[in-house]
Amino acid sequence: MLNQLLCKRFAITTPAKLHVLTLTIVASTVFVFASSETAQAQSAESTQSPAAVPSESARKDDEETASEKANAAKNWKPLEGSWVACQFGGDGEVEIKGNSAKIAYGDPLSGIRWEGDVLRENYEIALEARRTEGYDFFCGLTFPVGESKVSLIMGGWGGGILGISNVDDNDASQNATTQFRNFDNDKWYKVRARVTDNAIECWIDGKKLIDQPREGHVFDIRAEMEQCEPLGVAAFQCDSEIRNMRVRRLTADDLKPQNQGKSDKAASKTDAATKNETKQNETKQNETKQNETKQKESK
């Protein structure tokens, strides 16, 4: 039918000429269709926004963030397996589980001591602590400073003193590190202490509160804390809980002055992440307990 129409339209009398004409028309149609498709595609591309290219500063920020997270996470080791209960005399019950401990009210002291290997220079130690009942210090963290040692006291002298004992023979209530701070019962506090060649630094909840130079100073602990040396945690006439005890050796990069701020920032981010994770776990545990209680009551 198509051939007859073409013959009449173009006065074609031979099959060969008809075949050539048919191919020409088909080719023209394909070309027109392809050109239309190409034009539409180019039009669509012209209306789209160019792909966003990260700026140089944004790329560097991403790289620094990844580096900070890596620095914060590396080298931390849980302190578990070598804890024992102290023997102060008048001790309360002590329950040790992994790198956590419950320390009951002592008269006046209860605590735990680490009997494994310890780091003495260029290291950090971290933990979480809370007072569940009582009014005095719930975290007396004793740790090495070279061949000496000190105790970080949280909530001493009736609950309001934060500081290091001893600096130049003066305890936490009467030296340059002395601070007045309230600590709430049943609240977890994140604690981190760092010992370098230059200083003793301490953070509470990611905020640096103590920066004590070492040069020209003498360090030691009070006599009643000797049961905790070289590394331990004690509580004075209160119930307390300690968890997530860990330690890490500082790297050469950590000790570079230009990297100190980054290391602090990264460690604070890690503390915040751990705190959020802990809070989520506690929420799940509470929900589980509530569901179990409801099931028991329904029965």
Side-chain angles (χ1 to χ4, degrees):
M1 180 69 178
L2 176 62
N3 290 341
Q4 293 176 353
L5 291 173
L6 289 173
C7 289
K8 291 180 180 180
R9 174 68 179 82
F10 296 99
I12 296 173
T13 58
T14 65
K17 291 182 179 181
L18 175 61
H19 181 67
V20 172
L21 179 60
T22 302
L23 291 177
T24 302
I25 294 173
V26 170
S28 300
T29 304
V30 171
F31 176 77
V32 171
F33 179 78
S35 299
S36 176
E37 289 290 315
T38 301
Q40 291 177 5
Q42 290 175 345
S43 176
E45 289 177 359
S46 65
T47 59
Q48 292 178 353
S49 300
V53 178
S55 65
E56 183 67 15
S57 60
R59 184 182 63 79
K60 288 183 178 180
D61 288 344
D62 290 343
E63 290 177 354
E64 289 182 358
T65 299
S67 176
E68 289 168 1
K69 289 181 179 179
N71 287 336
K74 69 183 178 183
N75 296 335
W76 282 110
K77 296 181 180 179
L79 285 169
E80 56 187 3
S82 296
W83 291 107
V84 298
C86 295
Q87 300 296 323
F88 290 106
D91 305 71
E93 183 178 355
V94 174
E95 179 184 341
I96 301 170
K97 186 176 181 180
N99 63 341
S100 301
K102 290 184 178 182
I103 303 173
Y105 186 104
D107 186 18
L109 289 162
S110 299
I112 58 176
R113 180 178 64 253
W114 177 257
E115 295 198 333
D117 295 334
V118 296
L119 298 175
R120 293 185 173 274
E121 295 283 6
N122 298 322
Y123 74 95
E124 287 185 339
I125 183 169
L127 54 82
E128 297 171 68
R130 72 174 176 178
R131 182 174 54 210
T132 56
E133 188 172 345
Y135 302 98
D136 218 284
F137 74 78
F138 59 101
C139 179
L141 172 62
T142 296
F143 55 94
V145 180
E147 294 305 313
S148 301
K149 58 272 181 185
V150 296
S151 298
L152 172 64
I153 303 298
M154 296 173 58
W157 285 264
I161 293 290
L162 168 71
I164 287 178
S165 289
N166 292 337
V167 180
D168 300 328
D169 298 322
N170 295 313
D171 63 32
S173 68
Q174 50 186 353
N175 62 48
T177 69
T178 304
Q179 300 176 41
F180 298 92
R181 179 186 177 97
N182 289 325
F183 293 95
D184 299 327
N185 283 6
D186 296 318
K187 178 180 178 180
W188 286 103
Y189 292 91
K190 306 190 78 63
V191 184
R192 181 164 56 95
R194 175 188 291 171
V195 176
T196 67
D197 294 337
N198 298 321
I200 303 169
E201 303 163 273
C202 300
W203 290 257
I204 307 293
D205 288 340
K207 183 178 181 180
K208 185 189 287 189
L209 298 178
I210 294 174
D211 191 348
Q212 171 62 47
R214 290 180 63 177
E215 185 176 0
H217 297 281
V218 177
F219 302 101
D220 206 345
I221 58 175
R222 288 175 58 118
E224 57 266 39
M225 295 292 284
E226 289 180 355
Q227 272 286 316
C228 283
E229 66 173 303
L231 176 62
V233 185
F236 187 96
Q237 292 186 339
C238 68
D239 294 338
S240 71
E241 296 181 11
I242 310 295
R243 69 185 183 189
N244 200 22
M245 295 180 283
R246 60 200 189 278
V247 67
R248 80 176 183 112
R249 186 186 299 276
L250 297 173
T251 66
D253 283 342
D254 292 328
L255 295 170
K256 291 179 181 178
Q258 65 269 29
N259 291 336
Q260 292 272 334
K262 292 181 180 180
S263 178
D264 296 346
K265 185 178 178 181
S268 297
K269 287 182 178 180
T270 300
D271 287 345
T274 303
K275 188 173 183 178
N276 289 335
E277 183 179 353
T278 300
K279 184 179 290 186
Q280 290 174 0
N281 291 336
E282 289 177 345
T283 300
K284 290 180 180 179
Q285 291 175 359
N286 290 334
E287 290 176 350
T288 300
K289 290 180 180 179
Q290 291 175 358
N291 291 334
E292 290 175 351
T293 301
K294 290 180 179 179
Q295 290 176 359
K296 289 180 181 179
E297 291 176 351
S298 63
K299 292 180 180 178

